[in-house]
Amino acid sequence: MASLSVALNLSTPRPSLLHPPSPPSLKFSPVHNTSRRLALFQLGITLPQAQLFNAEASKLLATEGNTTKVATAGNSTRESTSFTEVDAMDWVKNDNRRILHFVYSVGDLDKTIKFYSECLGMKLLRKRDIPEDRYTNAFLGYGPEESNVTVELTYNYGVNKYDIGTGFGHFGVAVEDVAKTVDLVKAKGGKVTREPGPVTNGSTVIAMIEDPNGYNFELLERGPTPEPLCQVMLRVGDLDRSIKFYKKAFGMELLRKRDNPEYKYTNAIMGYGPEDKNAVLELTYNYGVTEYDKGNGYTQIALSTDNVYKSAEAIKLFGGKIIREPGPLPGINTKITACLDPDGWKLVFVDNIDFLRELE
């Protein structure tokens, strides 16, 4: 059976898809090419809906002004219902959401796993090789996936380097002793890009390191926490627009916002709970910069929801772009939807019950 890891790699370029053929020449078998189907969405290739979803389970969403009409696909006699902004805000507010995975590609999976395990104290939770699609996934974190955030690493056969771009900032890891962790990183041959010291205009001790693939990790000195994998930082072109979008479409709280005029940037911390106990999204606006190169390494954030259909409707109403209509995945029936935020960053919603079922 296919894995949910397939679903969460919507923007990972498989080697066989780096130069995809035109849609008419694409051929898929019923089950084994699920990952190819989903990879095509991020490559901009559209396939007929009947090829991708069960017709009875799929939904057709149509937006008119500030109201989204939801109707079942096919010759259904069920009446469509309207989903207004008020309905969407109420849904988002009461939905059960949390960050599940940070998803990105690496050039040397074994070396990356070793670095994260030995230097950052992560545990390898599961690993899956998909030889027919020429890639391998590994999930690492500080606790079970049922309750903790993980990094989802993808190694594409034969691809040993990725362009991280200028938009991705860093991942954050909370440690009890930053200096000790930095010494360990150095002892293991790792690269330290900022020595331990207080954060600018603050007292929190931080340091910056690079993993073997060039991804930046910020080490934050904190006491014991239930979620050491504590943040991802992304750069945006309009901070107020992004804050509004993540509040309305994703139900995140603005936990804090700080302007740093001397360094010409402003950042905002958003999430589903206190940042010392939950993973958060750090949005950074650099004065005068409205666009960034996203590269092809960092992929997306996966989040949970009780209903992918309603979550997709809310995203549409509040300014996001759906790139994968909500519905069950072929072969495993896990329901997901995928979208782009106003800056083009990818996010995936996964049905809560289906996600837990995948982990059984």
Side-chain angles (χ1 to χ4, degrees):
M1 179 174 288
S3 167
L4 178 57
S5 62
V6 169
L8 303 183
N9 274 303
L10 292 174
S11 64
T12 301
R14 312 291 178 225
S16 60
L17 293 173
L18 294 178
H19 303 286
S22 59
S25 66
L26 294 169
K27 297 180 180 179
F28 303 111
S29 62
V31 175
H32 297 296
N33 287 309
T34 302
S35 59
R36 291 198 186 99
R37 287 191 184 97
L38 296 175
L40 294 176
F41 280 97
Q42 63 88 21
L43 291 170
I45 297 174
T46 302
L47 296 179
Q49 188 173 358
Q51 287 183 246
L52 295 164
F53 316 118
N54 179 286
E56 294 182 358
S58 62
K59 303 286 182 178
L60 298 177
L61 305 180
T63 302
E64 298 180 2
N66 293 327
T67 301
T68 297
K69 292 184 177 181
V70 188
T72 51
N75 297 321
S76 173
T77 58
R78 185 184 301 178
E79 294 183 359
S80 63
T81 59
S82 295
F83 197 72
T84 66
E85 285 195 4
V86 174
D87 296 327
M89 292 180 69
D90 185 63
W91 163 252
V92 169
K93 179 180 178 181
N94 293 290
D95 192 17
N96 292 309
R97 299 182 174 185
R98 70 178 182 90
I99 296 175
L100 300 175
H101 297 160
F102 299 137
V103 188
Y104 52 106
S105 298
V106 299
D108 187 326
L109 187 59
D110 291 337
K111 186 175 182 180
T112 305
I113 292 172
K114 183 178 180 181
F115 181 83
Y116 289 1
S117 300
E118 294 182 354
C119 296
L120 299 178
M122 293 187 193
K123 296 180 180 179
L124 177 62
L125 302 173
R126 55 188 171 109
K127 186 178 180 182
R128 179 181 175 88
D129 187 39
I130 315 293
E132 65 268 26
D133 291 321
R134 298 178 57 79
Y135 77 95
T136 304
N137 281 130
F139 298 78
L140 295 95
Y142 295 97
E145 290 181 68
E146 292 87 347
S147 57
N148 288 75
V149 181
T150 66
V151 292
E152 177 182 343
L153 310 177
T154 298
Y155 169 69
N156 291 293
Y157 292 10
V159 182
N160 56 25
K161 187 174 179 61
Y162 290 90
D163 175 16
I164 297 175
T166 58
F168 171 79
H170 62 257
F171 300 109
V173 174
V175 298
E176 293 188 38
D177 191 325
V178 166
K180 184 178 179 180
T181 304
V182 165
D183 288 342
L184 179 59
V185 170
K186 290 179 178 179
K188 297 292 183 180
K191 183 177 180 180
V192 177
T193 58
R194 184 196 191 277
E195 293 291 338
V199 67
T200 303
N201 297 326
S203 59
T204 301
V205 176
I206 67 167
M208 298 294 295
I209 64 172
E210 275 189 13
D211 80 353
N213 310 279
Y215 292 103
N216 288 314
F217 278 76
E218 182 180 54
L219 305 177
L220 300 95
E221 191 159 281
R222 292 178 181 171
T225 173
E227 189 50 82
L229 186 55
C230 59
Q231 66 176 228
V232 60
M233 189 274 266
L234 303 175
R235 298 182 176 94
V236 299
D238 185 326
L239 188 58
D240 290 337
R241 178 186 65 184
S242 294
I243 291 172
K244 181 179 180 181
F245 174 76
Y246 281 101
K247 276 185 175 181
K248 289 190 171 183
F250 280 77
M252 292 186 180
E253 300 176 51
L254 175 61
L255 302 173
R256 58 187 174 92
K257 182 180 177 182
R258 183 175 63 189
D259 186 35
N260 298 277
E262 65 272 35
Y263 296 103
K264 297 185 177 181
Y265 76 91
T266 306
N267 56 17
I269 304 296
M270 307 198 70
Y272 294 113
E275 59 184 300
D276 60 335
K277 297 179 181 178
N278 299 270
V280 298
L281 174 61
E282 179 180 350
L283 303 173
T284 297
Y285 168 69
N286 290 297
Y287 291 9
V289 183
T290 58
E291 294 184 4
Y292 292 92
D293 173 16
K294 294 178 176 59
N296 63 357
Y298 171 80
T299 306
Q300 63 206 21
I301 300 173
L303 307 97
S304 65
T305 178
D306 284 337
N307 188 308
V308 297
Y309 301 100
K310 290 183 178 181
S311 292
E313 294 157 27
I315 289 166
K316 286 183 176 182
L317 285 171
F318 296 130
K321 179 181 179 181
I322 297 297
I323 58 173
R324 198 282 189 191
E325 292 289 354
L329 292 166
I332 60 175
N333 293 322
T334 296
K335 294 180 289 294
I336 72 165
T337 190
C339 72
L340 300 178
D341 78 357
D343 288 276
W345 292 112
K346 299 179 181 67
L347 303 106
V348 174
F349 272 115
V350 183
D351 180 89
N352 275 313
I353 294 175
D354 293 346
F355 176 71
L356 294 177
R357 187 182 298 120
E358 281 292 315
L359 298 178
E360 292 177 353

